[in-house]
Amino acid sequence: MKQLLVLICLLSPSLLWAQKGTYNLKGKLRGVNAPAKAYLRYRIGTDVKMDSVTIDNGTFSFMGAVDEPISAGLYVDKLGTGFTTKRPISYISLYLEPGNITVESPDSLANAFADGTPLNIDNQKLTGMLRQTTDKMAELMKEYRAATPEQKKSKEFEQNLDKRYEAIEAEQKKVKAQFIKENPNSLVSLYTLQQYDYTPEYAEVAPMYEGLGEVIKNGKSGKEYAKVLASVKATSIGEIAPEFSQADTSGKDVSLKSFRGKYVLVDFWASWCGPCRAENPNVVKNFQQYKDKNFTVLGVSLDRPNAKEAWLKAIHKDNLTWTHVSDLKFWENDVAKQYGIRSIPQNFLLGPDGKIVAKNIRGEELGKKLGEILAAKP
């Protein structure tokens, strides 16, 4: 199921948010005992950090220092066998910021709420507003996991779940937009906007950013998001695609400009990306069908440093017989940053003049769009 697989990366909130300081997170989950463990997962730059503690008689605590507020995930594994993404583990989102953070629940983490510091108070408000749609999404994921292998192979089953997923996602966006509008001076609003859509449309997100308070927009995170917004605008349909040059599999620089005169699908992917690999046969099919009609593909890989062999192996195994480039910098890939890429797969279809004519067209949509443009060409 493509949508779910892509799913399978101030003032009112705080006058202290720009200050460095120590956080003290204390949790109380009644009825949860050893060997259960709590995990605190967060990102600093490109590094993912993980702290863990054993839950003793329902209680646990974490302590640390932050230079600025950090969005984190608090996970609880009742089996205490170790953090894993291979099976569902309950979690809630919270913010690490200076002060005393409390997480309490009458039973499980699923019913817990984070409180005690300004950002977590605001975040709890947003969580409450999203509760109904969050429950719907959880039920949808539960239904998907319970499906038989035969059901998951069914096109009808996949389309039905995708349609429901998109409807829930649309509901969530409305709630998030409402929160951002009602809380313009909250740093949580900026963080919510950053996660609003991994493939945002400039016309949709720009007005929400402009509606934020000046203190928020002029802060470090606000200025960083302004740069992202500029990338979104520069890669909107109708714009000339930003020029770039990057090394191919043999180390030779390849420029986007060298593809002028052709329709080219700039395809962002990686060997480690399951949804990307699942989409590759569809890209191959369309490449074979239209490569003689002035169409080609340019693959931009977000493979990890020292993973060139995995990149080359995936190209060979998936029969991706077009040009590929990468600087092997993972999410710090220079072209990905230039294009504002925050999730993959993503793609941009460019015309012979270099203008972007379509974005993020996959599955049947890719073939349909190429057919409209190229089917009648000699």
Side-chain angles (χ1 to χ4, degrees):
M1 203 176 83
K2 295 182 180 66
Q3 290 285 0
L4 289 183
L5 284 175
V6 173
L7 178 72
I8 314 259
C9 231
L10 194 51
L11 293 185
S12 89
S14 179
L15 294 175
L16 300 173
W17 72 271
Q19 299 179 11
K20 300 179 181 180
T22 300
Y23 65 83
N24 187 5
L25 190 163
K26 292 186 177 182
K28 180 65 177 178
L29 307 176
R30 293 178 178 83
V32 181
N33 297 296
K37 287 186 177 181
Y39 299 86
L40 190 61
R41 193 169 188 261
Y42 53 95
R43 185 184 296 273
I44 297 180
T46 59
D47 297 329
V48 176
K49 305 292 185 179
M50 178 84 79
D51 301 328
S52 66
V53 294
T54 298
I55 299 176
D56 182 18
N57 194 30
T59 65
F60 60 91
S61 65
F62 294 95
M63 182 178 290
V66 290
D67 292 335
E68 60 183 350
I70 297 174
S71 177
L74 176 64
Y75 298 77
V76 168
D77 175 23
K78 291 187 177 181
L79 299 179
T81 56
F83 183 85
T84 177
T85 58
K86 295 182 179 180
R87 59 182 172 83
I89 299 180
S90 297
Y91 83 98
I92 62 170
S93 297
L94 50 78
Y95 288 90
L96 303 179
E97 60 177 330
N100 296 317
I101 305 165
T102 61
V103 176
E104 295 186 2
S105 171
D107 41 53
S108 65
L109 186 66
N111 295 317
F113 62 91
D115 205 345
T117 59
L119 289 181
N120 284 302
I121 291 172
D122 274 3
N123 189 54
Q124 191 59 42
K125 177 182 177 181
L126 174 61
T127 300
M129 292 173 66
L130 286 168
R131 177 66 66 187
Q132 186 175 12
T133 59
T134 302
D135 289 345
K136 288 182 181 179
M137 191 68 79
E139 283 299 315
L140 187 66
M141 292 298 292
K142 182 178 179 181
E143 183 177 334
Y144 175 70
R145 293 190 190 99
T148 64
E150 290 73 22
Q151 285 178 308
K152 291 180 180 179
K153 292 178 183 178
S154 166
K155 187 175 181 180
E156 182 180 354
F157 177 81
E158 177 183 308
Q159 290 177 338
N160 175 264
L161 263 66
D162 277 346
K163 184 177 180 180
R164 289 161 57 194
Y165 174 88
E166 290 169 358
I168 297 170
E169 187 178 49
E171 287 184 58
Q172 290 181 330
K173 284 185 176 182
K174 287 183 180 180
V175 174
K176 291 176 181 178
Q178 179 187 347
F179 178 87
I180 293 169
K181 183 178 180 179
E182 293 176 351
N183 300 273
N185 294 314
S186 173
L187 195 59
V188 174
S189 290
L190 175 61
Y191 290 159
T192 302
L193 184 56
Q194 290 173 335
Q195 306 298 325
Y196 181 79
D197 193 333
Y198 282 102
T199 57
E201 294 294 335
Y202 183 79
E204 184 176 11
V205 296
M208 287 190 276
Y209 174 75
E210 290 302 323
L212 295 175
E214 292 302 316
V215 173
I216 299 298
K217 289 190 290 185
N218 290 326
K220 180 182 177 182
S221 295
K223 290 179 178 178
E224 288 177 352
Y225 185 73
K227 293 178 182 178
V228 173
L229 209 53
S231 296
V232 173
K233 184 178 182 181
T235 55
S236 296
I237 292 176
E239 298 290 334
I240 296 290
E243 178 57 30
F244 64 84
S245 179
Q246 200 158 87
D248 66 10
T249 55
S250 64
K252 180 182 177 181
D253 278 349
V254 174
S255 69
L256 179 63
K257 190 175 293 184
S258 66
F259 290 85
R260 284 290 176 90
K262 287 188 174 185
Y263 284 93
V264 56
L265 185 74
V266 181
D267 186 34
F268 290 88
W269 73 297
S271 66
W272 50 262
C273 170
C276 302
R277 303 292 295 274
E279 175 65 12
N280 278 344
N282 182 54
V283 182
V284 169
K285 181 183 74 173
N286 283 282
F287 174 72
Q288 294 296 334
Q289 183 173 353
Y290 294 109
K291 65 180 182 179
D292 295 326
K293 295 182 179 293
N294 205 36
F295 169 74
T296 191
V297 179
L298 173 59
V300 182
S301 171
L302 276 67
D303 268 281
R304 295 177 171 87
N306 303 316
K308 185 173 182 178
E309 185 177 344
W311 175 38
L312 298 179
K313 184 177 179 180
I315 291 172
H316 177 73
K317 185 175 182 179
D318 293 2
N319 195 31
L320 312 181
T321 57
W322 49 78
T323 303
H324 294 270
V325 298
S326 181
D327 56 13
L328 299 176
K329 291 183 180 179
F330 198 30
W331 288 108
E332 294 300 305
N333 179 291
D334 290 342
V335 181
K337 291 172 68 176
Q338 185 181 4
Y339 275 65
I341 301 299
R342 301 169 62 215
S343 68
I344 51 176
Q346 282 200 57
N347 60 45
F348 298 82
L349 178 61
L350 315 185
D353 58 359
K355 286 186 178 180
I356 299 171
V357 298
K359 295 170 58 175
N360 300 317
I361 44 176
R362 296 190 289 272
E364 293 182 359
E365 189 181 355
L366 174 60
K368 182 179 179 181
K369 187 65 177 181
L370 292 175
E372 291 173 358
I373 297 173
L374 302 169
K377 293 188 177 296

